[in-house]
């Protein structure tokens, strides 16, 4: 049963790690490109918003599966 | 400066959310054919995606423009953290408080809604306006 909690922790932890790296790169590039071309700021913000949706798809599904493991399989 | 670049971009947040909600209702109606409990669970799974996503969209577009770029990026990080935390809390609440629940319908609808949400943002591009 302990392995279920380890699996859930790995899913959430690795998902958060990937999302953190991705959002760090995305935010850094957004700041950099806005500083280079301030007139495109609103378009860049929208593109960042779209990319954020792509970026957090896998961690979100991972959170759902991890909660299922914790509260249904182990619970 | 190119005139096209200086246009303000109108973001169809309402349209995105309406498409997500409609998709959730359609998937729930398909699950109702299996059983009413499955349809109810599927609708809850759709709501678990839509509510944190609406919060995320609201927070990200609180600030706009080049002068507020640092505030936009800060809000992007905070909104994403809150979105994932809200999703985890909603799942935990459903699995502990909602009894009975048809888990396959709940998780399937949630996964489909994640893909639908991403695809709708990608397909319905914001329209630049003067």
């Amino acid at each position: 049963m302990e392995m279920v909690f380890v699996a859930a922790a790995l899913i959430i932890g690795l998902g958060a790690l990937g999302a953190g790296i991705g959002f760090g790169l995305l935010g850094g590039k957004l700041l950099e490109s806005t500083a280079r071309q301030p007139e495109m700021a609103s378009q860049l913000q929208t593109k960042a918003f779209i990319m954020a949706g792509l970026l957090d798809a896998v961690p979100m599904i991972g959170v759902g599966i991890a909660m299922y493991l914790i509260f249904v399989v182990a619970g | 400066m190119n005139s096209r670049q200086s246009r303000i971009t109108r973001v169809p947040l309402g349209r995105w959310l309406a498409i997500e909600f409609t998709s959730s209702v359609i998937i729930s109606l398909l699950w109702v054919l299996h059983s009413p409990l499955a349809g109810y669970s599927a609708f809850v799974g759709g709501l678990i995606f839509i509510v944190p996503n609406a919060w995320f969209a609201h927070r990200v577009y609180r600030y706009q423009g080049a002068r507020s770029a640092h505030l936009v990026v800060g809000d992007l990080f905070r909104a994403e953290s809150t979105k994932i935390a809200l999703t985890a809390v909603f799942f935990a609440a459903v699995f502990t408080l909602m009894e009975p629940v048809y888990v396959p319908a709940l998780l399937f609808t949630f996964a489909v809604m994640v893909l639908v949400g991403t695809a709708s943002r990608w397909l319905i591009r914001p329209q630049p306006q003067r």
Side-chain angles (χ1 to χ4, degrees):
Chain A
M1 190 58 72
E2 290 82 13
M3 293 305 286
V4 174
F5 291 110
V6 173
L10 278 175
I11 292 171
I12 293 179
L14 291 178
L17 181 69
I21 292 171
F23 268 87
L25 290 172
L26 182 68
K29 295 289 180 191
L30 176 62
L31 277 178
E32 188 183 315
S33 47
T34 304
R36 281 181 195 274
Q37 288 182 292
E39 71 275 8
M40 290 192 71
S42 65
Q43 292 175 47
L44 289 168
Q45 185 181 359
T46 304
K47 283 181 173 37
F49 179 69
I50 292 170
M51 290 311 295
L54 290 171
L55 196 58
D56 71 358
V58 174
M60 289 279 282
I61 294 173
V63 165
I65 293 172
M67 290 297 125
Y68 170 71
L69 288 177
I70 292 170
F71 289 100
V72 178
V73 175
Chain B
M1 186 171 61
N2 187 349
S3 64
R4 188 178 167 274
Q5 291 176 341
S6 62
R7 288 175 186 175
I8 295 168
T9 304
R10 188 182 63 84
V11 184
L13 288 178
R15 249 171 92 192
W16 279 331
L17 291 175
I19 286 173
E20 286 170 5
F21 190 77
T22 309
S23 309
S24 174
V25 170
I26 289 170
I27 296 168
S28 305
L29 289 176
L30 290 176
W31 275 103
V32 166
L33 299 176
H34 184 271
S35 70
L37 175 66
Y40 175 60
S41 302
F43 185 67
V44 170
L47 283 183
I48 289 175
F49 172 77
I50 291 170
V51 173
N53 197 41
W55 168 261
F56 178 75
H58 165 70
R59 294 294 292 192
V60 167
Y61 280 99
R62 222 161 50 127
Y63 299 104
Q64 280 187 312
R67 286 180 192 276
S68 311
H70 62 293
L71 296 172
V72 169
V73 173
D75 261 357
L76 187 72
F77 294 158
R78 274 189 287 274
E80 178 61 24
S81 312
T82 313
K83 180 183 175 184
I84 290 179
L86 273 178
T87 307
V89 167
F90 286 161
F91 265 116
V94 166
F95 286 139
T96 53
L97 301 177
M98 207 177 119
E99 198 69 43
V101 59
Y102 190 64
V103 176
L106 183 96
L107 287 179
F108 176 81
T109 310
F110 179 77
V112 171
M113 287 306 298
V114 169
L115 299 178
V116 166
T118 307
S120 68
R121 284 187 208 176
W122 190 257
L123 294 174
I124 304 169
R125 297 292 182 88
Q127 299 297 316
Q129 286 187 332
R130 286 187 186 280

